[in-house]
Amino acid sequence: MSYDGKDFGAIVQQAVADALGIDVEEAVPEATLLGDLDAESIDLLDVLFRIEKAADVKIKVSDIAELLQGGIPDEEFADENDIINEVGLAQLKKSLPQIDVVELAGKITADEVLTLFTVQNLTDLVAERAALAAAAA
């Protein structure tokens, strides 16, 4: 995805590769950051910082959480055992179109949701933020 002459896919892939010390070819769009690429939360901060420097788009980890949860209160997103419920799964399917909600139903906890977030999901978020910033300018 590009906007204003910037290839956000390439920027995100390079930021992920640099932050994780991997080859850029490993940072494929479908790779999950915390799963496939073994990033930790501190690595995610590094990735976001690198994206901000390269693309002039600021994204915080809380922005990712907001995207994933869609403003749905915790008690409506997951049950008392922290398992994502139907409402939560429907929201996740909107923000992470690649997931299989049938496979995840009754299995995934709120703490595990971020492990579904891919390089492509981050690229989409960066492009969306850049477009919003440009529209506001």
Side-chain angles (χ1 to χ4, degrees), residues 1-4 6 8 11 51 55-59 123-137:
M1 258 186 216
S2 65
Y3 186 81
D4 196 26
K6 294 180 181 169
F8 295 118
I11 289 170
I51 290 169
D56 199 28
V57 176
K58 184 164 181 60
I59 295 176
T123 301
D124 293 344
L125 181 58
V126 171
E128 178 185 306
R129 289 294 168 91
L132 287 173

Side-chain angles (χ1 to χ4, degrees), residues 4 20 32 41 49 58 69 82 84 86 90 95-96 98 102 104 108 111 117 119 127 136:
D4 196 26
L20 300 180
T32 58
S41 49
F49 175 75
K58 184 164 181 60
Q69 201 157 333
D82 214 25
I84 304 302
E86 283 186 36
S95 55
L96 305 174
Q98 77 276 5
V102 174
L104 297 173
I108 188 160
D111 289 343
F117 199 70
V119 172

Side-chain angles (χ1 to χ4, degrees), residues 10-133:
I11 289 170
V12 169
Q13 286 178 293
Q14 191 64 58
V16 168
D18 290 347
L20 300 180
I22 62 174
D23 291 333
V24 75
E25 294 81 24
E26 293 178 72
V28 293
E30 61 276 4
T32 58
L33 295 165
L34 302 183
D36 298 333
L37 300 178
D38 293 327
E40 296 179 9
S41 49
I42 191 76
D43 297 323
L44 191 52
L45 293 173
D46 189 11
V47 168
L48 297 177
F49 175 75
R50 290 170 187 271
I51 290 169
E52 183 178 355
K53 280 179 45 180
D56 199 28
V57 176
K58 184 164 181 60
I59 295 176
K60 300 178 292 212
V61 174
S62 60
D63 296 334
I64 296 171
E66 167 96 17
L67 169 77
L68 295 174
Q69 201 157 333
I72 299 171
D74 291 348
E75 61 275 5
E76 294 174 30
F77 193 75
D79 67 18
E80 64 277 354
N81 297 316
D82 214 25
I83 303 291
I84 304 302
N85 60 28
E86 283 186 36
V87 172
L89 285 171
Q91 168 56 34
L92 287 176
K93 185 65 178 172
K94 281 194 266 182
S95 55
L96 305 174
Q98 77 276 5
I99 67 169
D100 181 346
V101 292
V102 174
E103 183 183 313
L104 297 173
K107 297 178 188 164
I108 188 160
T109 65
D111 289 343
E112 297 169 325
V113 168
L114 196 54
T115 65
L116 303 172
F117 199 70
T118 65
V119 172
Q120 184 63 54
N121 297 139
L122 183 55
T123 301
D124 293 344
L125 181 58
V126 171
E128 178 185 306
R129 289 294 168 91
L132 287 173

